[in-house]
Amino acid sequence: MRLTFLGTCAGTPSLQRNVTAIALTLRNTRSGGTWLFDCGEGTQHQFMRSPLKPGKLEKIFITHLHGDHIFGLPGLLTSRSMGGVAEPLTLYGPKGLRTFVETSLALSGSFVTFPMEIVEIGSGLVCDDGKVKVTAYPMNHVIECYGYRIEEHDKPGYLDGERLRADGVPRGAWYQRLKLGETVELEDGRVIDGRDYLGPPIKGKSVAIFGDTAPTPVSDLLADGVDVMVHETTLEAAMAEKANGRGHSTTVQAATAARLAGAKSLIATHFSSRYNFTDCQRLLDECRAIFPHTELARDFAEFEV
Ligand code: ZN
């Protein structure tokens, strides 16, 4: 999986950073497609400046309905349609998402020509295609807001070709079935159980993408042992009262949440527009003092998971 940050600013955009949108490119869905988490105003422009294509979008997950997280949706959807994309798209988000999308399209005389499904979610399982599972957790924000945990299912271990050769099993089409742990009968009548030749299962990767939130005990579940935790750091450590009063977190609070949840790494994002690049370095230092494996998101930054 690969994370691409298309917007890292909280509230309003700055000249250096756009409002929130995070793309997750998957290699193990049917199309190797892209999922988007939040869609702040101008996200379609950020797509144009990145290697990502709106036509590859399979799913959009909205954390909450604040404008800096959804005002880019109508434009992105209608441009995707005008671009002739016929591939279906599913939108997930809190109650009210359907009204927002349908009303903005209807009032502006707009429509989309691709199949579009809108799913209003609550806490719990959001979707599972057998390869990747997404679960939503409630955040501690001023309106209904969710964080998403994205987990690849474990894959079967590698097939030990050397041992198969040593046991005199000839190469053939049955290798594919053995790889899946199935049992095959060879032409000479021998029965081979693939499970005898598979290594240990390969652990799937996991990512937690938090919506806007003040500190919450839910983060321990949402980010439990994840490979990458993406958490907002709207304000610096000294401004905790202001941040928390508006349902946001500071650098130190995000880093502490990562440490408590046992996340392997933290990417800090969603910085107030008051901070420029130099200030952001200071924010990073505040995080790293608590949780050393912290990276800073900036617009168009990519992270392999
Ligand atoms: Zn918000």
Side-chain angles (χ1 to χ4, degrees), residues 20-24 26 34-40 43-44 47 53-64 69-70 72-78 80 88-94 97 101 112 114 116-121 126-127 134 148:
T20 300
I22 303 167
L24 181 68
L26 301 113
T34 302
W35 293 359
L36 188 68
F37 293 81
D38 285 336
C39 187
T43 296
Q44 61 171 321
F47 262 93
K53 302 269 176 290
K56 282 269 187 185
L57 271 178
E58 293 175 338
K59 296 175 189 288
I60 300 178
F61 299 85
I62 298 297
T63 60
H64 65 302
H69 294 254
I70 64 164
L73 261 183
L76 180 72
L77 295 175
T78 49
R80 187 182 190 269
L89 181 66
T90 308
L91 275 53
Y92 303 91
L97 178 63
V101 171
V112 296
F114 52 81
M116 181 170 73
E117 191 186 355
I118 301 174
V119 181
E120 293 185 337
I121 62 158
V126 175
C127 58
V134 181
Y148 293 101

Side-chain angles (χ1 to χ4, degrees), residues 64 66 68-69 141-143 145 212 246-248 270:
H64 65 302
H66 274 158
D68 57 324
H69 294 254
H141 198 42
V142 291
I143 61 170
C145 181
D212 288 8
R246 296 176 182 180
H248 291 297
H270 196 271

